[in-house]
Amino acid sequence: MALRNIVLENEELIRKISRPVDEITPRILTLLDDMADTMYFENRGIGIAAPQVGVLRRIFVVDVGDEHGKLEFINPEITRREGTQVFCEGCLSVPGKNADVERPAEITIKALDRNGNEFTLDADGLLAVCICHEYDHLDGILFIDKAIDGVIYEGAQS
Ligand code: NI
């Protein structure tokens, strides 16, 4: 088990655009494992993106505690977005803040798994929220940027 330091909202790196993974090397597999360890270690972490641990690669891991368990996404692409839903979000990189954000109600996402195989997943509810949130991290976008009416709740434990 290896924990990585979380990059916070005031650090420049969190705003940068991540690059696609061109080869799934042992280093990438270690990164995936460390990201999951870090996500589970942090209180209430349900998703983590590579830039949050200082690596500008298009990778994220989510586990919203549903039947899917841990899901790993490499070079993801959201290919369908339908409807809307509002959820009060938080982020490991934005401790102590929450905000209501509007996201698609349903999505389809295509990505590579750790073996380099392409898979497609349909998601709704919290899983769709979490995937969209992590996907945004790959483009340097934070949930607070999308807070409805710019309202951010501070002092919350997240
Ligand atoms: Ni986040």
Side-chain angles (χ1 to χ4, degrees):
M1 168 156 168
L3 300 180
R4 303 225 182 173
N5 289 327
I6 296 283
V7 177
L8 298 176
E9 62 164 317
N10 57 350
E11 300 179 61
E12 254 177 61
L13 189 142
I14 204 77
R15 292 301 188 173
K16 299 205 181 291
I17 309 267
S18 291
R19 299 180 305 276
V21 173
D22 36 41
E23 192 187 354
I24 301 170
T25 59
R27 204 184 159 103
I28 294 288
L29 298 180
T30 301
L31 170 65
L32 282 164
D33 292 338
D34 290 355
M35 284 169 61
D37 287 343
T38 305
M39 174 181 77
Y40 290 126
F41 180 79
E42 298 285 342
N43 189 30
R44 293 166 57 196
I46 59 173
I48 191 167
Q52 290 186 275
V53 295
V55 179
L56 291 171
R57 291 293 179 174
R58 301 190 79 82
I59 296 174
F60 60 78
V61 177
V62 307
D63 185 346
V64 299
D66 67 3
E67 71 277 11
H68 295 288
K70 182 179 75 177
L71 292 167
E72 298 172 328
F73 300 84
I74 299 169
N75 296 347
E77 193 187 332
I78 295 177
T79 58
R80 182 181 67 100
R81 294 173 171 85
E82 265 177 52
T84 59
Q85 61 175 325
V86 173
F87 191 83
C88 187
E89 299 186 17
C91 179
L92 298 176
S93 295
V94 191
K97 294 184 187 174
N98 295 95
D100 289 325
V101 177
E102 188 177 284
R103 302 282 189 187
E106 286 177 39
I107 60 161
T108 300
I109 184 166
K110 183 175 81 169
L112 300 179
D113 66 18
R114 62 164 56 216
N115 300 310
N117 297 317
E118 190 177 287
F119 67 96
T120 298
L121 177 77
D122 293 319
D124 60 11
L126 180 59
L127 183 58
V129 169
C130 189
I131 287 172
C132 290
H133 175 121
E134 302 310 329
Y135 191 83
D136 274 353
H137 273 298
L138 307 183
D139 294 319
I141 299 166
L142 299 177
F143 78 98
I144 47 177
D145 306 341
K146 295 184 166 180
I148 293 178
D149 298 328
V151 177
I152 295 163
Y153 308 108
E154 295 199 45
Q157 195 187 2
S158 66

